[in-house]
Amino acid sequence: MSNRKCRIAVVAPASRLSPDVADKVRAVAGSLYPDERAEIFFHPQCFLSHGHFAGDDESRARAFLEVANDDNIDAVWFARGGYGSCRITEAVIRGLKEPARRKTYLGYSDTGTLLAALYRAGFEAVAHGPMVQDILREGGDAAIRRALAWMVDRAPKTLEPTVNGSNKTAAFNITVLSQLLGTPLQPDLDGHVLMLEEVSEAMYRIDRSLFHITSNPSIRRVAGIMLGRCSDVTANEPDFAMNEEEVARFWCDKSGIPWLGRADIGHDADNKIVPFGSSV
Amino acid sequence: MSNRKCRIAVVAPASRLSPDVADKVRAVAGSLYPDERAEIFFHPQCFLSHGHFAGDDESRARAFLEVANDDNIDAVWFARGGYGSCRITEAVIRGLKEPARRKTYLGYSDTGTLLAALYRAGFEAVAHGPMVQDILREGGDAAIRRALAWMVDRAPKTLEPTVNGSNKTAAFNITVLSQLLGTPLQPDLDGHVLMLEEVSEAMYRIDRSLFHITSNPSIRRVAGIMLGRCSDVTANEPDFAMNEEEVARFWCDKSGIPWLGRADIGHDADNKIVPFGSSV
């Protein structure tokens, strides 16, 4: 633990944040770091509204690039998921400059699209973990503390327990990864332990997405798949007769990808940090 | 119109059919072809039940191969969609023999996975169009008559109006095509007019799937995209502020794929026939 300040900029590449959520997170940061080592800047773009999104595509891309390319910012923290990252990823990647490489990026769910693209572009401190909006979950304070402890101190206790610094890892929402396959944003995950989680999808959709993911020739070169939590699984008509672990094991078996068990990630307050690559 | 009999075999690669639906379709075929030129055989597999599916994966694959490889069958007609084709497609493609090439295949929705794989394997009479279960739709008799008129007589009036025999065409459900991208089942659609339709998805999902489809380098070589009907669009929270045509035009514009207007296909009784390739 150092005494260096960590300047964290929050942007919302997908859905909008409400100002009271920002206030709640500021309060948690203040109590956790009374020495103000965690300095959080909420970009005004977070609070814009444009249909489904936190501002139009241009506003969201511009805000991302402003903070990513700013040498005075140490970490870019995504406000929340929802939907919209894929609409700005191409513009973001095109506009990134050298200072962008020297910072941490943290998010999950829909913003996995950006994590994938940044990792593919060779960025070294990209991680899957809690976002600002997680403060609204039951026990959400813990998720915010974990995110901050990762960004500020790289605290080892924040990590998914199987992450050990020597294995290469990556984590994604199942649907979000599926929607990147076969596009120029698909990252090279050869030799990685791939952790996958899902929320609010019916079991037949989880099954279909895992067919998709495990049928991809590049994905077949991962070291193995670990399944995080699949929460709020919506009704399947008729009953699917397999649960998410049976489905994941089925597709691992069929594709020859090693099944490596369960991962401690998911759309919940317990969502642990998974760095992309082997840099811990 | 010839006097030759058309022997049609119905199998259910995805969800199960109920026997009374089969009876209804037999009645329509009998009244349309009192000379019995349309001879429909419902494989008993159609009525099996195994969790989500019309029998387990092995039963569904075996039934498909029995009828596809039978020289006494002229057409394989899919009972219905739902979900499950992707689980058997690899086994089906592996097991196909020479007689399978000499017949018509007709279906849409989830069974688009099989159409894609058959077309990719060089089959020449693969088409997107009504299935047996469509008799349950309002005005569903017309869909059944259209399917039969295509399989029995290749009646030109059954075709989607822009299909002219010289342009190459293909049609898919948006989600089903998305879930094939980057897998060995993805067909080569270079130079094809690609017609897309959707049912029961929220607008943000349609947007995300069209991001996925139009970002694929191989799909970017299509002659253009036509949008069929997107029906029963589920609620988007907040309102998406774009309709399906605006979304499709947006992604065509962004990807450089020509926007070719609306197609007369969809999850409804008006769903016209779209042959894969240029064979009419």
Side-chain angles (χ1 to χ4, degrees), chain A residues 173-193:
Chain A
N173 172 265
I174 287 175
T175 301
V176 169
L177 176 58
S178 155
Q179 300 286 280
L180 297 178
L181 298 182
T183 79
L185 304 180
Q186 182 179 339
D188 176 4
L189 300 178
D190 282 23
H192 290 59
V193 174

Side-chain angles (χ1 to χ4, degrees), chain A residues 62-82:
Chain A
R62 196 171 50 230
F64 187 108
L65 288 170
E66 267 175 37
V67 300
N69 290 333
D70 182 344
D71 236 341
N72 294 313
I73 299 291
D74 301 300
V76 177
W77 192 17
F78 299 134
R80 62 177 295 195

Side-chain angles (χ1 to χ4, degrees), chain A residues 51-52 57 83 86-87 175 178-179 181-182 184 201 204-205 207-209 211-212 215-217 236 238 250 254, chain B residues 51-52 57 83 86-87 175 178-179 181-182 184 201 204-205 207-209 211-212 215-217 236 238 250 254:
Chain A
H52 192 105
D57 294 352
Y83 170 65
C86 69
R87 284 180 151 253
T175 301
S178 155
Q179 300 286 280
L181 298 182
E201 298 288 352
Y204 86 90
R205 288 180 185 257
D207 191 75
R208 188 171 59 190
S209 292
F211 148 75
H212 187 210
S215 297
N216 183 276
N236 202 91
F250 172 85
K254 195 151 171 134
Chain B
H52 194 105
D57 293 353
Y83 170 65
C86 69
R87 283 180 152 252
T175 301
S178 156
Q179 299 287 280
L181 298 182
E201 298 288 352
Y204 86 90
R205 289 180 185 257
D207 192 74
R208 186 170 61 190
S209 292
F211 148 74
H212 187 210
S215 296
N216 181 276
N236 203 92
F250 172 85
K254 195 150 171 134

